[in-house]
Amino acid sequence: MRQLCPALLLSLLSLCVFPPCAAASASAAADYHEQLVLRPLPLSALLASFNFRSNTTVSEFESGNFRFFPRSLGQILQHAGTRELHLRFSLGRWDAESWGSRPWDGAREGGTGVELWAWLDADTDQEADHKWLTLTNALSGLFCASLNFIDGTRTTRPVMSFEPEGDHPNTSAHSMQLLYGVLPHEVVCTENLTPFLKLLPCKGKAGIATLLDGHKLFDASFQSMAIDIRPVCPPGGECVLQIEQTIDMVLDIDRSKRPRDNPIPRSLGGHELLCDTSKPYHSHDTCFPADQDANQDWSLSQIFGKSMKGTCPLADPTVPPVCLQVPESRAVYTIDGAVEIKSRDSRCFQISPESDLELLLPPPGDEAQDGAAADILPPGTPPLYAERSFTGYGQERGGVQTILRNPSPDTEVEFVYMESLPWFMRIYLHTMEARIAGHPAPSPDNHPLIQQVYYRPALDRARGTQLEVRMRIPPAATVFLTYDFEKSILRYTEYPPDANRGFDVAAAVITILDPQRNGSGRFAAYTIRTTSLLCSLPTPDFSMPYNVIIFTSTAVALAFGGMFNIMVRRFVAADEGSEGGLGALRGKLLGRLGAVAGRFKGNQ
Amino acid sequence: MSLPQPPGDDGAAKSPGPAAGAETVAASSGPQAKKQPPPEKPSDVRRRSRIILSFWLIVLCLGLPIWWQTTSIYRADLPLHEMLEWADGKACRPVFPLRINIQADSLQDQEAQNLLRLTQHALDDLNDFSGHHLRLQLSPPPGHPPESSDRESALTIRLVPGDTATASLDPHEPVLDITYPPNAIPTATSSSSSLATYVAGQLRSTFAEEQATISYLLSTSSMPSESRPLGLSPESAESLAKRATRSLKYAPTYHLTFSLFTSGPLPSSWDIGAAIADYMKPVLTVLSPIHNFTIDTQVQLYATPGVPNEVLNKEDLSSFVNAAEWPLSPSIGGAPTINFVVFVGNQTIAGERAESEHANTGESAAHSWLIPQWGTIYLLPLPDGTAHLSSAALKQPLLTFTSHLLSLLGAPRSGSLPLRLSTLGRIRSADLLLRASSTLGSLARLALALPSISIPSSVADGVSTTMLHLRRACETLGGAEGLAHARVAEAEAERAFFEKSMVGQLYFPDEHKIAVYLPLLGPVAVPLVMGLINELRAWRRRRRERRERGRGKKME
Amino acid sequence: MRLPNIPGFSLPKLESYISRLPLFTRAMLAAMVVFQVVGLQHSFDVRAWGALIPDEIGFQTLYRTNTFPLIHLNAFHLVLNLLTVIPLLERFESEYGTLTSLALFFGPLTTIPALLYVGVEKHILGANTPVMGASIWAFLLFGAEAIRTYRTNPYFVISTYNIPTWTSPLALLLCMAALVPSSSFLGHLVGLVVGYIWGLGYIKFLAPPEKALRWVEGKLKLPARLPYFVSVDQKTYGRFGVLPTSTGPSSASALHLRRDPRILKLPPYLSLLCIVVGVVWLFLLPFDDYSRRTYISENALLPGQVHTYFSGSDQHVFRAYKHELHALAGKSNIEFNDKLEPIVKGLGLKTARQNFTYHAAGHTLEGENLYAILQAPRSDATEAIVLVAARENVRNEVNINGIPLALTLLRYFKRWSLWSKDIILVLTPDSIAGPQAWVDAYHDAHDTYRVASLPIKSGALQGAIAIDYAQEGRFESVHIVYDGVNGQLPNLDLINSVVNIAGGQMGMGVAIQEMWQHDNKYPDRLRTMLRGMLKQGLGLASGPHSSFIPYHVDAVTLRPFGDGWQDEMAMGRVIEGTFRSLNNLLEHLHQSFFFYLLMQRERFVSIGTYLPSAMLVAANFTIMAIALWIKSGHPEGATTGADKPKRLSTQTVERDLFLPLGVVTLCQSLSVIPLYLFNHAPDNTLTPLFAVFTALNTLLPPLLSHHLTAAAAPTEQQYHLIKSFSLLLLGMFLSTLATLNFPLSLLIGLVSIPLTFLRPLSLAPSSSSSSSPSSSSSSSLMRRRLLAAAAMAAVSPPAVLLAGCALWGVGVGDVLRAAAVAWHVCGTWTQVVVWCVWWPAWLAGSVVLLGRPRGMGTGAGK
């Protein structure tokens, strides 16, 4: 996505397309960009990644004049003294095996739920915590997400995993504190999209944002909304504060093409079924399905339910709003009026602000019959595959196992593996070991897998465990990183309403360090989030507290009574003891009644 | 039932004597067949009593205190009585002594004194409201440098000889210029003077609005009636009420948000900064002693108003703001936000109703209206294709905003600006004073009503500081520091009242407590008590026996 | 063992007792039976005629106050009442004489309670519940007896608290009210109250004066004419020789009770009672009053609330897959997976394989699982549901329809976007080892040398459904298999929702426990319950689902059966519906029951109701053990001998524990041998091994006892102690086991009942009144020994096992192999219970039985 560099396009455009606009845009200093990149993926999936970027000069920001930069967010930043902010809403998981490497190299994507990290301007930890509190509360109000639940137990201060993306003056570097909080249980949904769109200068009214529709977005197999705010100081020019909003979603073409009013996947009639006719038993009522890679034909309005309504007039016209990444061989039809700019493997479409854009990909032609390779781009291989899962069973202790595979045959990969675990998972650090699949023993010491470990143990009910491990994996190796933990028992007020579901454990963050990193180069070459986990804790029967209290206290009382009596009673031979109080009373009673009865009988 | 008789005192038992006889009779009442247990060793008896004693000691000295300590709710003691007194206004009756200098350089001192006395009389006759009265004083002749008394004077009357009696307020400083015809100077002997009454009337009219407002505040508060003004005509009260509801709650800082909403893609930029600097800053600087202001601005495109129709009539105005879509979220700094919205679109307001409703000045009425306690909306019609709003185009809106700002702040409408502002200060301090004391009152009532809520010490501190500042404010009412104290008091009172930890999350009704305690305490208590009782009985019996034995010995 | 060994319990005794019943009692007995018989016909409703109905009571209907005790609800009611009333009544009559009883029981003693009842019921409670049955008499007499007992010994002592004996009927009353449904608490209460009053003798004046009675008897010569007539004169005042007014030892207390020889004779009856009640209890369960209707208690499941769309052209795909499967018939496991994996991948699933190798009973079980994960869109791998299709089911039939159906279903599920949990398809070569290996590996509880780890995983398993669809053609109903390993069960909600979906929504039949036909009546319910208990008791895996349950993953196997009109798609829809329900789950299944007995698809008994039966059976051993311990504390011969003293001497004797403990420990430790042998012997040697073991097993007790007598010559006391210890262990184990695997504990308990009652043979005659000491010659003793040995051998574990095999017609070898496989693969611990709990107890028991106590001659000679 990044490789279509604006400079080339600008030169291209400025001579052919919209000369006046190009001229005007130069004055606008490119304050607002937006672009949608579509990329078909294997197994009839389609990656659509929206990107909106707008700047405001720091001076304007300080003086509180907001134009493209959303005021609601700006106020929060000012009030919480935030230097740089990254907010992620994600749902689903990226299927690296079949979809290949992640969009933006994983830089614009978070673990399931909500993830937030920010550099706050604070001298002391208390100050930082206080600002963090205000920040999370304000953001939760703004995005209708329960970010305010990011309390001390869910907040960590990563040491090795994150570095500021923006350019910060060295003077302020020392007073910047990084805080990281994550809410794995938060379910991202439409109510988070609406405020997201409200932040855009053109709202959902014009430009590619018109394609963003809640139903489609949240029907996607994978989707991640990101907000990144960072100061950018171009060499020479004045520093600007840049907000970048990104939405990546992987749509299942088959599912998205279903009409909104009838989403039920009824089995289609026998004749519409694509069958493998080569099978000997193929007949009218027997059909071996051959539709793995079908559904590669689609159109913009089919996928998104509507066509794109013009462009946002504020957007920098030199950046084409829509780009499509398919091989040249693939035929693409658009409405006339749209100008197509071809480059290798990607074609972008430039349209006038009023006209609508409509794309249509026909089913792959016969020349592409030889397989999926021809009608979609081959997915790139990511530098690392990671998968995390629980081991063990039962309610007392368990283990976590992460399988890390380095696919590249020749280069070794170095990365930081970060876990932020809830406090009720007490991990045993000494059990943490990394072994290469094949060798039973931990790896040889001359080339240790684990380079460096940063561990911040949890405090009950105060803060969670923070574990950062810098590792290096040799080429074409699979490494098992495992450690054990113990589950602690919560107070009964600390359980969520659906206690028996279990507790979500945040995704682990894997930051692959850039090997050829010079002073100004990027810090992370690639970022991976594992899936989150569900940890089931011993769950009491909540209908019982009073019964339990009463039962135990009764038992205690009985024990006490027995002991007390034994200590205090005087033991005498049985025939010497006097009758108990009750017996004596009864004896008296009997005597009296007996007398009465006797008199009665006497009369009779 | 029968007492085990130690063999030692057989003699005593058999020995004749009424008591002993009774003893044997008592013994014989039981079945004879029964064997008696051997007498206990005194050591056992002692041990048993020690055991019981120690159990009781543990229960009383350890158990009860711990139990009490762990289950009691902490309630800091509040000066409830004084708090209620404040609430009822017994603690302080707001009095605003206003000093008014009279500058009569053209008069001789003696004449001036005379005039002063007369005017004061006239004023006192006119004045009906004890809480707010004017005190005249002669300002020193201009030769001297003005000393302290001059500073705190609310108004200066400059008497200038002229041909007719006229009065005019100086727009830039608190000065009332009065010209008088030469014959109007009262002679030293005359008991009344037209000039004096004239001046008094002028003063009265000048401060009428302030007086009315303050008396209105007092009447709405829970002040006792004797400090109430006597007459407050219903219609004036009504208008005051409307103004009170329109104006925002007092805050040291206000946040001004200037928003440009355009129904289409254009215009997308404005130079609001310059416009504010030009047209609004002066007022803000004047207001600065009472309020500080923070400002931000934003531009919002493709904004659709809450009501779609072209021509807005009265009931549309309230629903014009599209709260769902427009990002007008209040600022998070805690300072109340005042919104000033310039809406560029093709809507217009029907007729001059807006003007009649909110008495605005000038022709801008047709374009703007004020939303109580929220802000102002200004409809700005523009030719299509205007991409940029210049500062000039924003002049009219900003002037409207300025005037609306004053009424939103609750400043009186009449009088010159300086006067209005000083009045605003006094009104505000009275208002704060009353609000703080009523908050104290409700806090006290709450503490009385709910015996089971906990009262942390922070609340007590808050209350004490509040009352301290209230007292100070009450002493220095009407002045700047009075306002400051009232401000602090109000903030403190609010903080104390809205203390979070006072509201317990878990509520245990008493029957629950019983359900929890009874199974434990009941069975534990029964053996303890029974043991104690038995022990006491045995002890008494032993004593009696000892007495018996002693007696028996004596008999022999 | 033979009944006579139970002291004081024998048929002849019973006969003589019945034959000696006095007149009035007989009459009442006859009357009740007659009324019951009359009640059978419908022309005249006796119950309506005779019952005590408060509103009906008028002057002309006063007869009800006398008739109601004679009439009973049903035979059960009648029998219970007779068992309780007859002895009491007999005692009463022989005490007061026939005429008095007649007069009393057709006068005050019946009418007073009746009127009391009516008064209270009608005027105080304002209700109108008819009562009938002789139980009111029972309680009345209980009351009287209780007062009398109270006179003799007022208290029994629990810890340090004196509890008056007269309260015991109250306890009984409460138990009755609690346990017996539709028993009138009030009716019993009034009976009891009147009983108390009578016992205290305040209404003695109601009894007809003796003069009159004598006169009547004399005139009519009743004693001569009427058989079994108890005259006024021959009546025996209080059989304990205690007159109600007599001032006995006033300071009576527990000690006397404890010293009372009757206490030591009580335990055998007590434990017998426990056993009887336990068994009867079990057989009561299928009644409506004890079992409950099932219900869905997890609201999130919403079974049958969603439309299912699995149909149409999916059937074409199904046929295609079925053809593919046909092509693979007889192929090896690896080839099978090689062929299937691309197909599954083609569905867009993540696939992986897993190897496993188990060594059990000499030969190795190995195979390769193929499994695939359908990643739910919009969820991340936190939860998962499993769909298992084994290539061969437990009966080794090829799952010819199941696997294609599973594939088609997965292909269909892929089209939905509503899944909140991943769906895992597991294709295993067999039904036991494959799933077990997979589940173990999924939870990392596997031994990596035998079972490979799983390369890919998903989240926590929330449920599993296994398809066992081997039958061709259309089917009629679905059979739910739910027994897990070691008798563990899935959550009842899962079964309920399947029943609800299949039965309610799809309208197909549902069966459990291979009861293909089930009319919801007592016999079928009982049969279903017993089948289920047997399955759980054996603790073997009953299908692919069984391996999941130990990991708290609720699972069932669905198996279509019968010949109907339902086709594969219908089966698919059932599974779809179930998956949709599981998908709805917000929390792990936890609401409903995990311990239950199903007796029909919609009837169950929960643990609270059924547990007592096993507990009682287990308790009888403990009771006996404690009794023996006490008994062993008394000097020898104190209990034996013809003339027993009224009070036992208080002094106790030293118990020497070494030998008994040694013997019991030996038996327990010996048990390791068979356990090891039968689990590790190779397949082919199992049968001979078993034969050898059986033979040795029969010989072992005599040898052991012989050596014991030869070496140590234990005394009777030591035999008591041996038995006591082994029974103590047995009771302990069983009562613990009852909470884990109720049926197993019950079964073991039942087969080891005889151990409770046996005692050294040479002591047997002294207790059974039949033989006098002189006749106990060595030959007869020898004979009895052999007999006893044979009898013991008949209830020995191997014998029982043989009997079971013969009954179900399976080879012993197969059973043993299955057991060994279960031991190694599924970790079944039935063997442990059999060899380490039951067998040692049996061994110790038979040693005791064959024992020759030293000094027994003296004991018997007295």
Side-chain angles (χ1 to χ4, degrees), chain A residues 93 95 112 218-220 255 258 264-265 267-268 279 281 285 287 291-292 387 392 500-501 532 583 593, chain C residues 155 202 309 311 313 316-317 319-320 324 346 350 378-380 411 415 417 422 443 457 586-587 590:
Chain A
R93 67 202 116 160
D95 178 3
T112 307
F218 294 99
D219 191 42
R255 232 187 287 131
R258 263 179 233 141
I264 295 165
S267 57
L268 21 76
K279 295 283 180 184
Y281 51 75
D285 68 347
C287 167
D291 52 2
Q292 291 87 303
E387 185 185 355
N500 282 285
R501 177 177 180 272
S532 65
L593 294 179
Chain C
Y155 305 111
Y202 299 143
Y309 298 94
S311 61
S313 67
H316 304 177
V317 181
R319 293 204 189 89
E324 294 288 330
K350 305 260 160 299
R378 292 151 51 207
S379 92
D380 59 351
R411 182 169 177 282
R415 301 210 294 264
S417 67
D422 290 2
H443 295 94
K457 271 198 211 172
L586 300 175
E587 316 180 30
H590 66 289

Side-chain angles (χ1 to χ4, degrees), chain B residues 434-446:
Chain B
L434 296 176
R435 201 181 281 128
S437 41
S438 75
T439 312
L440 276 186
S442 35
L443 179 57
R445 278 189 292 279
L446 181 73

Side-chain angles (χ1 to χ4, degrees), chain A residues 241-273:
Chain A
L241 194 68
Q242 181 177 78
I243 177 172
E244 184 163 11
Q245 294 174 258
T246 315
I247 294 186
D248 296 314
M249 53 203 234
V250 175
L251 295 158
D252 183 326
I253 295 175
D254 178 18
R255 232 187 287 131
S256 314
K257 275 160 78 179
R258 263 179 233 141
R260 169 91 70 84
D261 53 2
N262 175 19
I264 295 165
R266 291 202 178 72
S267 57
L268 21 76
H271 53 284
E272 308 167 38
L273 217 55

Side-chain angles (χ1 to χ4, degrees), chain C residues 251-520:
Chain C
S251 70
S253 88
L255 201 55
H256 305 275
L257 218 52
R258 213 181 295 146
R259 297 236 192 85
D260 194 330
R262 274 175 288 133
I263 291 299
L264 280 186
K265 298 177 63 56
L266 200 56
Y269 300 99
L270 211 54
S271 43
L272 183 64
L273 186 70
C274 285
I275 295 166
V276 171
V277 173
V279 175
V280 169
W281 192 290
L282 190 67
F283 283 91
L284 286 183
L285 290 179
F287 282 116
D288 282 357
D289 301 326
Y290 299 89
S291 59
R292 285 197 268 163
R293 267 189 73 84
T294 57
Y295 57 94
I296 305 267
S297 60
E298 170 62 86
N299 297 323
L301 274 170
L302 300 173
Q305 304 290 310
V306 292
H307 284 285
T308 50
Y309 298 94
F310 181 67
S311 61
S313 67
D314 287 320
Q315 192 153 18
H316 304 177
V317 181
F318 171 79
R319 293 204 189 89
Y321 287 147
K322 199 169 165 187
H323 280 291
E324 294 288 330
L325 263 288
H326 270 301
L328 291 174
K331 293 280 176 55
S332 82
N333 186 8
I334 306 298
E335 292 172 283
F336 183 81
N337 290 349
D338 291 343
K339 191 78 176 62
L340 236 56
E341 186 162 13
I343 299 182
V344 180
K345 256 199 199 319
L347 302 179
L349 275 58
K350 305 260 160 299
T351 63
R353 302 190 188 189
Q354 177 205 19
N355 279 310
F356 62 90
T357 317
Y358 287 109
H359 302 279
H363 65 93
T364 62
L365 295 160
E366 58 187 334
E368 187 187 55
N369 293 331
L370 170 66
Y371 70 99
I373 298 179
L374 162 57
Q375 294 183 340
R378 292 151 51 207
S379 92
D380 59 351
T382 51
E383 295 168 293
I385 322 174
V386 186
L387 178 64
V388 187
R391 196 178 171 192
E392 281 185 355
N393 64 14
V394 274
R395 294 174 307 289
N396 299 335
E397 304 160 352
V398 178
N399 194 354
I400 191 65
N401 283 325
I403 295 179
L405 184 56
L407 292 177
T408 324
L409 272 172
L410 260 290
R411 182 169 177 282
Y412 165 73
F413 287 161
K414 184 83 167 81
R415 301 210 294 264
W416 281 104
S417 67
L418 51 73
W419 299 114
S420 68
K421 304 163 170 55
D422 290 2
I423 297 175
I424 308 182
L425 169 69
V426 182
L427 301 174
T428 60
D430 70 336
S431 288
I432 306 297
Q436 189 68 44
W438 189 82
V439 180
D440 289 344
Y442 195 93
H443 295 94
D444 284 80
H446 61 298
D447 163 6
T448 42
Y449 295 105
R450 295 183 305 179
V451 178
S453 308
L454 298 185
I456 61 173
K457 271 198 211 172
S458 178
L461 303 184
Q462 298 293 323
I465 304 291
I467 315 179
D468 169 6
Y469 195 171
Q471 92 168 25
E472 276 296 357
R474 298 173 166 256
F475 67 96
E476 181 192 12
S477 332
V478 182
H479 177 224
I480 307 178
V481 191
Y482 58 87
D483 318 279
V485 179
N486 291 326
Q488 288 166 301
L489 297 173
N491 189 306
L492 192 53
D493 269 341
L494 182 60
I495 298 174
N496 290 347
S497 31
V498 176
V499 169
N500 200 320
I501 290 164
Q505 194 182 11
M506 308 293 164
M508 58 180 74
V510 175
I512 52 172
Q513 299 299 347
E514 295 167 1
M515 297 287 293
W516 312 121
Q517 302 302 331
H518 196 303
D519 61 344
N520 194 359

